[in-house]
């Protein structure tokens, strides 16, 4: 009886562990750490097909897109696929009321129509080297924190000079496991990236913010770009003479479709995770940090929303800002929910109990004895300052007039430091960047946001707020709308022409005028107060926490030997793997793993801001005109799997067992966004748009089939039978 029970228990455990694998793994270590496991989940290729320094592995088809997303190469002519929300600001920059590419989509019907994007780049990873021993040379247990950093900086600087690379390549050295290990990345960055195509937002961002972070999902979240290179296929600044880049590797595209249990893998650049925090840190996030940030964004969004609903121009102007403010806002809400529901803090405590017990029993671990207690004490010192920091950063970043003031302040600093010539240069730079800013600026929106957020700012303890602002507020009886007027009415800093005139004065005149402004005085006092009252206390505590966290990481690696560790995400190239699978969001509810066009039509609300659809898509649906992309009369749209992903993985290729492209990662499910802090296999799922939907939209909806002809389409499942 007992034996049978044990077998059942171990089977249950096994079935749990085979469902999903936590982790964002280093591609160069897959053969050592993960290959066997990946094969047992269904992978049919080898680790060296994924990463090899001899050209032609899958990694050569994956790029960091602009440093904030991931993209992949899908044709021999440098075609890059990424998300619509990753291409968003490029699409928006080319949009106006007359050419509203956000609303109507954009398709280059030949290469001459492809649109350049200033500042946009993609980066390839050529090679990854372990440089831990060189970077950490000269450091021992006794090295102080400050010394440590200066030794590391020196070592990195000299390493950068000695690492073998071509003149057009760069070296990036990054710390892993909290600086317990270091890797060097040899990279190539291409800077002439042109927009090739984007569906209308009603497809590319269907469901908008209501559906964001949610499953079931029905969004065609993709856009296409092309990499251009010099005539010798090397990185180059934009030039009309540049030619389409010829890649080392372009992904094959599978139209075989996906089934439950299929192996999938996500290859991309996840930005930031914090999987190894102590329980006290997670507790603070759940109790304070997330709720405060959510509350502040609540108010900002509420004000912006009123304008966007009533005015077409403001809607275009604030679309990108809205999307970015609301994105994290919604994620944090899911995070709090998920951490609470899965008892993350209790689980961490349990883990810490085992850790502490092993440490206590083994004299070799004596150095770790007080770690957890030190954490507790340090985090309690940290709390008020970390809360004040959240207030400050969340509020300041949303006060747009202060963005202008801040920029002008850099100009005046340039004058004060280096004189007239530096002033002129800086003024030119700032003019240019403010030109972009003013295109999307509406002072009326800004005033409402000021009113709402200054109120929140002043609700903090006095020691964390600007005395000048407090006094001004008192002088208008703490009427925050009047307070805002006081700040806005004195000058016309919200007016582009006014600012440009200011910037065309001589340096001396500029500085004396600018220095008399009330807006500057308040802004500066808020900055100074933050620096002297918050940062001054916070930074030493933060350093202490970083130090503890590094030791704790090292300790976990040594003490919890049976656990397989992956380093936290740090915007470097990673592989996550898992299987296609639905999940149970709550008791009694089961979610399927795949959606199709029927569901898009179900959500359709004519004229709605979030759920309107283009007429053409409805016609294609009515005729079931899906070409080679549909299956059994259905047009697949999105699917989910258990890959461990995070922000920055947007646009990452979803690959099948053979390394063929089957989809594009773009989101996670609401219940599982806490995977940044504590992955839980039962509810963490990443969301991908099915590649068949992408090609259907390009070919059937946009009549841009010439782009599909550039791609290499395969049917691995048909071949297998
Ligand atoms: N949640 C996704 C991510 O973190 C998509 C964001 C863009 N979509 C949106 N509706 N705002 O980037
Ligand atoms: N949408 C996210 C991004 O832009 C990916 C979703 C996630 O955070 O997992 O990177």
């Amino acid at each position: 009886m007992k034996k049978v029970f044990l077998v059942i228990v171990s089977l249950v455990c096994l079935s749990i562990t085979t469902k999903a694998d936590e982790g964002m793994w280093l591609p160069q270590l897959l053969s050592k750490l993960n290959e066997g496991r990946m094969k047992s989940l269904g992978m049919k290729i080898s680790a060296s097909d994924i990463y090899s320094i001899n050209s032609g592995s899958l990694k050569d088809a994956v790029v960091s897109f602009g440093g904030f997303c991931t993209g992949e190469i899908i044709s021999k002519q440098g075609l890059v696929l990424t998300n619509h929300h990753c291409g968003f600001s490029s699409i928006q920059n080319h949009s106006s009321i007359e050419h509203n590419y956000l609303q109507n989509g954009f398709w280059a019907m030949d290469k001459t129509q492809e649109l350049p994007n200033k500042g946009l780049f993609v980066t390839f990873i050529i090679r990854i080297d372990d440089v831990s021993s060189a970077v950490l040379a000269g450091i021992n247990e006794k090295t102080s924190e400050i010394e440590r950093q200066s030794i590391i900086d020196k070592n990195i600087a000299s390493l950068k000079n000695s690492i073998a690379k071509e003149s057009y390549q760069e070296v990036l050295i990054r710390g892993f496991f909290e600086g317990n290990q270091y890797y060097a990345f040899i990279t190539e960055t291409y800077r002439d990236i042109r927009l090739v195509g984007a569906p209308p937002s009603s497809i590319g961002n269907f469901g908008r913010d209501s559906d964001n972070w949610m499953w079931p999902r029905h969004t065609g979240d993709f856009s296409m770009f092309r990499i251009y290179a010099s005539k010798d296929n090397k990185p180059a600044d934009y030039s009309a003479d540049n030619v389409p880049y010829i890649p080392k590797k372009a992904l094959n595209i599978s139209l075989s479709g996906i089934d439950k249990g299929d192996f999938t893998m996500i290859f991309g650049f996840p930005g930031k995770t914090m999987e190894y925090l102590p329980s006290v840190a997670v507790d603070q996030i759940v109790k304070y940090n997330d709720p405060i940030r959510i509350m502040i964004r609540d108010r900002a969004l509420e004000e912006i929303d009123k304008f966007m609903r009533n005015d077409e121009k403001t809607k275009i102007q604030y679309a990108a800002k809205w999307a970015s403010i609301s994105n994290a806002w919604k994620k944090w809400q899911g995070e709090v929910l998920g951490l609470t529901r899965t008892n993350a803090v209790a689980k961490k405590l349990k883990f810490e109990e085992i850790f502490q017990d092993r440490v206590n029993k083994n004299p070799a671990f004596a150095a770790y004895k007080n770690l957890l207690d030190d954490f507790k004490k340090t985090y309690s010192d940290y709390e008020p300052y970390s809360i004040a920091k959240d207030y400050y950063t969340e509020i300041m970043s949303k006060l747009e007039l202060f963005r202008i003031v801040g920029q002008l302040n850099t100009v005046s600093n340039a004058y004060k430091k280096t004189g007239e010539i530096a002033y002129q240069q800086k003024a030119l730079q700032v003019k240019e960047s403010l030109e972009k800013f003013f295109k999307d600026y509406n002072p009326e929106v800004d005033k409402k946001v000021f009113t709402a957020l200054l109120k929140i700012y002043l609700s903090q303890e006095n020691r964390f707020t600007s005395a000048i602002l407090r006094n001004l507020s008192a002088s208008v009886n703490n009427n925050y709308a009047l307070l805002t007027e006081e700040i806005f009415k004195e000058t016309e800093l919200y007016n582009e022409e006014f600012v440009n005139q200011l910037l065309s004065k001589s340096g001396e005149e500029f500085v004396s005028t600018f220095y008399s402004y009330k807006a500057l005085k308040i802004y500066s006092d808020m900055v100074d107060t933050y620096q002297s009252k918050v940062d001054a206390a916070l930074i030493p505590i933060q350093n202490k926490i970083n130090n503890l966290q590094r030791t704790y990481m090292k300790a976990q690696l040594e003490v919890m030997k049976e656990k397989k560790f992956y380093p936290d995400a740090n915007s470097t190239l990673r592989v996550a793997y898992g299987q296609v699978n639905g999940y149970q969001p709550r008791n009694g509810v089961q979610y399927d793993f795949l959606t199709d066009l029927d569901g898009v039509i179900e959500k359709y609300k004519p004229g709605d801001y979030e759920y309107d659809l283009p007429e053409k898509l409805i016609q294609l649906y009515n005729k079931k005109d899906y070409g080679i992309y549909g299956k059994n009369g259905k047009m697949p749209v999105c699917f989910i799997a258990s890959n461990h992903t995070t922000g920055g993985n947007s646009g990452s290729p979803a690959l099948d067992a053979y390394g063929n492209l089957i989809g594009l990662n773009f989101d996670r499910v609401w219940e599982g966004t806490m995977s940044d802090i504590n992955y839980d296999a039962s509810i963490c799922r990443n969301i991908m748009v099915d590649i068949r939907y992408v090609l259907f939209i390009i070919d059937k909806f946009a009549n841009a089939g010439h782009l599909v002809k550039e791609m290499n389409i395969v049917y691995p499942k048909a071949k297998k039978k």
Side-chain angles (χ1 to χ4, degrees):
M1 190 63 203
K2 214 169 180 184
K3 222 179 188 171
V4 171
F5 177 73
L6 270 179
V7 168
I8 290 175
V9 167
S10 61
L11 276 179
V12 168
C13 291
L14 215 100
S15 81
I16 287 168
T17 50
T18 50
K19 251 188 206 140
D21 275 38
E22 173 178 353
M24 304 165 176
W25 302 91
L26 292 163
Q28 75 277 22
L29 299 182
L30 291 176
S31 61
K32 203 168 110 197
L33 293 177
N34 313 90
E35 190 176 32
R37 176 70 187 148
M38 292 168 89
K39 286 192 166 155
S40 81
L41 288 172
M43 185 175 78
K44 301 288 186 232
I45 54 178
S46 67
S48 61
D49 295 322
I50 300 171
Y51 175 91
S52 128
I53 50 174
N54 309 314
S55 67
S57 64
L58 289 172
K59 78 132 170 60
D60 296 306
V62 181
V63 291
S64 163
F65 185 85
F68 52 87
C69 275
T70 304
E72 53 276 358
I73 314 294
I74 52 165
S75 92
K76 295 273 181 227
Q77 302 174 55
L79 211 50
V80 175
L81 197 58
T82 189
N83 288 146
H84 185 268
H85 76 263
C86 298
F88 193 95
S89 70
S90 303
I91 305 165
Q92 189 193 31
N93 277 335
H94 293 293
S95 291
S96 57
I97 297 227
E98 299 80 54
H99 296 284
N100 196 340
Y101 300 141
L102 275 182
Q103 178 161 335
N104 305 319
F106 167 80
W107 299 96
M109 284 305 162
D110 59 50
K111 294 200 180 77
T112 64
Q113 294 180 3
E114 296 176 355
L115 300 172
N117 300 283
K118 213 173 161 194
L120 186 60
F121 61 87
V122 302
T123 301
F124 290 89
I125 306 300
I126 305 304
R127 197 176 81 228
I128 308 174
D129 297 341
D130 186 345
V131 292
S132 304
S133 53
V135 172
L136 296 171
I139 290 172
N140 58 47
E141 311 284 287
K142 296 200 181 72
T143 315
S144 78
E145 198 60 10
I146 301 170
E147 239 182 305
R148 184 180 199 274
Q149 198 50 53
S150 95
I151 295 175
I152 287 178
D153 291 345
K154 254 187 244 143
N155 287 346
I156 286 184
S158 74
L159 246 178
K160 276 194 169 175
N161 291 325
S162 64
I163 285 181
K165 67 166 187 67
E166 305 294 335
S167 59
Y168 51 86
Q169 298 178 330
E170 274 117 45
V171 186
L172 191 86
I173 296 175
R174 301 297 292 267
F176 291 75
F177 291 120
E178 310 291 339
N180 284 297
Q181 290 172 19
Y182 282 83
Y183 288 96
F185 298 78
I186 317 303
T187 63
E188 282 176 21
T189 294
Y190 285 78
R191 303 179 299 274
D192 184 354
I193 311 299
R194 303 189 196 167
L195 178 63
V196 174
S201 291
S202 53
I203 291 173
N205 195 7
F206 182 72
R208 300 254 174 175
D209 297 291
S210 295
D211 277 13
N212 191 21
W213 297 112
M214 300 291 233
W215 183 255
R217 192 62 157 277
H218 298 88
T219 312
D221 196 346
F222 78 95
S223 60
M224 290 176 94
F225 290 78
R226 193 187 302 280
I227 305 173
Y228 280 77
S230 65
K231 296 233 158 60
D232 55 357
N233 209 35
K234 295 285 177 317
D237 288 327
Y238 169 80
S239 157
D241 297 335
N242 285 347
V243 293
Y245 167 71
I246 301 165
K248 286 187 203 152
K249 169 89 187 168
L251 297 177
N252 292 332
I253 293 176
S254 160
L255 291 189
S256 273
I258 44 119
D259 294 303
K260 184 175 169 171
D262 278 359
F263 175 84
T264 62
M265 148 174 106
I266 300 288
F267 207 168
F269 293 84
K272 187 178 179 206
T273 58
M274 302 172 284
E275 311 285 349
Y276 304 105
L277 293 176
S279 58
V280 292
V282 178
D283 196 45
Q284 267 183 24
I285 293 172
V286 175
K287 278 207 188 100
Y288 307 108
N289 304 99
D290 276 357
I292 285 166
R293 297 174 193 166
I294 292 164
M295 175 269 292
I296 293 169
R297 290 188 181 212
D298 260 336
R299 287 295 293 122
L301 289 168
E302 193 183 323
E303 296 303 331
I304 300 172
D305 181 64
K306 288 182 202 152
F307 284 89
M308 285 178 73
R309 282 190 191 274
N310 292 321
D311 177 37
E312 199 56 32
K313 187 167 167 222
T314 314
K315 194 165 110 183
I316 297 176
Q317 285 180 317
Y318 279 74
K321 288 177 220 171
W322 170 277
S324 91
I325 299 174
S326 79
N327 192 43
W329 166 76
K330 196 164 179 186
K331 190 202 107 165
W332 290 324
Q333 295 176 56
E335 188 167 274
V336 172
L337 181 92
L339 289 171
T340 312
R341 259 199 211 158
T342 58
N343 301 315
V345 174
K347 274 187 199 151
K348 290 255 177 199
L349 280 168
K350 189 97 211 144
F351 176 86
E352 286 162 12
E353 224 174 86
I354 300 170
F355 172 87
Q356 188 71 52
D357 190 52
R358 290 189 190 178
V359 167
N360 292 346
K361 283 186 180 134
N362 188 340
F365 298 143
Y368 306 139
K369 227 174 178 142
N370 298 322
L371 245 179
L372 291 170
D373 282 338
D374 285 349
F375 262 130
K376 245 183 255 163
K377 185 183 168 316
T378 315
Y379 267 101
S380 120
D381 296 342
Y382 183 63
E383 192 179 296
Y385 301 105
S386 111
I387 290 174
K389 182 182 182 178
D390 279 342
Y391 270 94
Y392 178 79
T393 43
E394 278 300 319
I395 291 171
M396 275 310 235
S397 59
K398 282 156 205 80
L399 304 177
E400 294 185 274
L401 187 77
F402 283 167
R403 291 250 319 259
I404 305 170
V405 174
Q407 291 257 345
L408 294 178
N409 204 29
T410 65
V411 179
S412 94
N413 288 342
Y415 177 76
K416 284 198 305 192
K417 244 193 229 144
T418 0
E420 186 66 26
I421 295 174
Y423 162 76
Q424 294 292 348
Q425 278 172 350
K426 192 75 197 171
L428 211 70
Q429 251 179 39
V430 164
K431 245 188 213 172
E432 220 175 86
S433 103
L434 284 180
E435 190 185 325
K436 241 174 136 180
F437 168 86
F438 275 114
K439 185 171 172 268
D440 293 330
Y441 179 59
N442 178 344
E444 294 312 310
V445 179
D446 196 19
K447 283 183 191 171
K448 294 286 187 207
V449 174
F450 255 80
T451 304
L453 298 197
L454 287 184
K455 179 177 174 184
I456 299 176
Y457 174 83
L458 289 172
S459 73
Q460 298 175 83
E461 279 178 64
N462 277 355
R463 62 172 169 147
F464 293 138
T465 63
S466 147
I468 298 182
L469 185 68
R470 275 202 318 271
N471 293 339
L472 187 63
S473 181
S475 77
V476 292
N477 295 321
N478 295 324
N479 177 324
Y480 301 101
L482 284 182
L483 175 62
T484 298
E485 272 314 313
E486 284 295 318
I487 297 169
F488 273 75
K489 79 179 184 200
E490 183 201 35
T491 68
E492 282 181 53
L493 284 172
Y494 48 81
N495 176 339
E496 183 169 14
E497 234 167 84
F498 179 89
V499 171
N500 282 341
Q501 268 172 23
L502 196 63
L503 283 171
S504 46
K505 292 179 193 280
S506 74
E508 195 184 338
E509 256 187 295
F510 169 85
V511 169
S512 72
T513 317
F514 184 57
Y515 265 65
S516 69
Y517 290 164
K518 199 186 279 172
L520 173 69
K521 287 184 187 134
I522 294 171
Y523 165 82
S524 303
D525 196 45
M526 287 170 81
V527 175
D528 291 346
T529 309
Y530 175 75
Q531 283 170 351
S532 60
K533 298 288 158 37
V534 183
D535 249 3
L538 185 75
I539 290 171
I541 307 176
Q542 185 67 63
N543 286 341
K544 176 119 193 267
I545 288 180
N546 294 348
N547 189 341
L548 287 173
Q549 189 66 41
R550 188 174 65 241
T551 310
Y552 186 39
M553 190 69 248
K554 182 163 172 279
Q556 290 181 63
L557 292 165
E558 291 168 15
V559 176
M560 309 307 258
K561 273 271 187 269
E562 74 282 15
K563 198 176 153 176
K564 215 164 41 159
F565 287 89
Y566 58 94
D568 267 318
N570 58 356
S571 295
T572 59
L573 187 60
R574 303 294 178 92
V575 174
Y577 50 88
Q579 288 173 319
V580 173
N581 203 352
Y583 70 108
Q584 275 201 342
R586 4 175 228 290
N587 187 251
V589 179
Q590 179 64 40
Y591 279 156
D592 210 347
F593 60 88
L594 181 66
T595 62
D596 60 46
L597 200 56
D598 296 8
V600 177
I601 301 295
E602 262 173 32
K603 285 180 177 172
Y604 170 48
K605 276 192 224 153
D608 186 73
Y609 169 64
E610 300 188 303
Y611 295 104
D612 203 2
L613 283 173
E615 192 49 42
K616 173 94 183 273
L617 187 67
I618 299 169
Q619 284 167 12
L620 290 166
Y621 172 76
N622 287 337
K623 286 188 282 183
K624 303 281 173 285
D625 185 3
Y626 302 150
I628 56 171
Y629 311 109
K631 193 176 174 189
N632 306 327
K634 302 277 184 200
M635 183 65 242
V637 174
C638 291
F639 66 102
I640 50 175
S642 55
N643 305 290
H644 189 182
T645 55
T646 188
N649 268 129
S650 274
S652 297
L655 303 167
D656 70 4
Y658 303 90
N660 302 312
L661 186 68
I662 50 173
L664 209 53
N665 185 73
F666 72 97
D667 214 354
R668 269 173 293 163
V669 303
W670 171 254
E671 296 80 4
T673 58
M674 85 301 184
S675 62
D676 289 348
I677 293 171
N678 198 14
Y679 181 94
D680 186 309
S682 68
I683 52 171
C684 290
R685 297 287 180 274
N686 68 312
I687 308 181
M688 297 149 280
V689 53
D690 194 303
I691 200 66
R692 292 169 291 179
Y693 190 53
V694 172
L695 297 198
F696 160 76
I697 295 294
I698 296 172
D699 190 352
K700 297 300 241 175
F701 174 81
N703 294 321
H706 61 283
L707 294 170
V708 178
K709 288 211 182 81
E710 280 186 37
M711 305 169 196
N712 190 31
I713 302 221
V714 297
Y715 295 88
K717 283 186 185 166
K719 223 174 22 191
K720 217 171 53 187
K721 272 169 203 162

